[in-house]
Amino acid sequence: MSNETVLEVCNVFIKVFDHGELVRTELGHNVWTNTGREYSCLLKSYNTDGNPYRTDRIRYVGLGNGTQIESVSVNKLVSPIAYSQGGDYLKPINHNLTTFPDSGLRTAIRYTSRFGTSTFPGAGTTYISECGLFTDGHAVSFTQGGRETSIAVADEQSPVAYHTFDPIPKTSGIELEITWELRH
């Protein structure tokens, strides 16, 4: 029997473009929160009546302009920001860009979300310094597809993974591409 420890490892890759030109990259190692650990455990398990505890899947990225220590106890973004005129806070991942980077094996997955130049309504400069990865499950019942995505309920949304980084100014010509890689 092997004593090898298998850990879930997550990484965040951020590309910043100014008028289409790559001007900055961020590579960071994030934390899988207690919410994420619970999600992972319950996703793999059946309850007493033979049904899965959870059927929701990773679906959203949320951004904020706060910061906190990357700890398993993170239960929300410090200062969530809306990314659309309609007040949406959680942006759907573009699953057309989802890839499995390990040749022949599906032991890692990359989720990508892009925030364009028209993102982040309002005047002035918005700074982005934190991001979270979220499922599509309702925050309390975990009902698949039940996640509320508006900024009005952002403080009630707990990420499965969290990352903080040096502030990135989000001005009219800036685009962001965030790729989250999960390795098992």
Side-chain angles (χ1 to χ4, degrees):
M1 183 171 186
S2 171
N3 289 331
E4 180 182 29
T5 301
V6 178
L7 300 174
E8 267 188 3
V9 179
C10 308
N11 291 291
V12 181
F13 308 94
I14 301 172
K15 294 180 184 178
V16 182
F17 299 89
D18 189 352
H19 295 92
E21 180 181 336
L22 181 64
V23 295
R24 180 174 165 186
T25 58
E26 292 279 337
L27 170 61
H29 185 76
N30 72 180
V31 65
W32 197 247
T33 65
N34 282 332
T35 298
R37 292 168 183 224
E38 178 186 57
Y39 167 72
S40 185
C41 182
L42 295 178
L43 187 64
K44 298 169 187 169
S45 304
Y46 290 101
N47 63 25
T48 56
D49 60 5
N51 292 313
Y53 279 102
R54 292 187 70 157
T55 59
D56 54 328
R57 299 291 185 264
I58 293 173
R59 173 96 172 119
Y60 299 102
V61 171
L63 300 176
N65 59 10
T67 189
Q68 60 189 307
I69 295 173
E70 290 181 2
S71 159
V72 296
S73 63
V74 168
N75 61 11
K76 66 178 187 167
L77 271 61
V78 175
S79 185
I81 56 175
Y83 79 89
S84 74
Q85 293 290 346
D88 286 320
Y89 154 60
L90 297 178
K91 182 170 179 50
I93 291 168
N94 183 341
H95 285 294
N96 291 325
L97 300 175
T98 297
T99 61
F100 298 93
D102 292 341
S103 299
L105 296 173
R106 293 186 179 201
T107 58
I109 189 165
R110 287 183 183 164
Y111 300 108
T112 300
S113 189
R114 292 180 176 152
F115 296 83
T117 57
S118 62
T119 308
F120 309 108
T125 301
T126 299
Y127 289 91
I128 299 162
S129 56
E130 62 179 342
C131 56
L133 192 63
F134 299 82
T135 72
D136 65 349
H138 186 272
V140 176
S141 69
F142 312 130
T143 304
Q144 185 177 4
R147 175 75 61 179
E148 297 179 60
T149 61
S150 78
I151 193 70
V153 294
D155 282 345
E156 300 167 17
Q157 309 304 318
S158 185
V160 294
Y162 177 80
H163 181 62
T164 187
F165 44 89
D166 289 335
I168 298 170
K170 180 62 183 88
T171 57
S172 62
I174 297 291
E175 297 175 82
L176 299 176
E177 179 178 284
I178 299 177
T179 301
W180 220 296
E181 181 176 286
L182 307 180
R183 293 195 156 271
H184 298 81

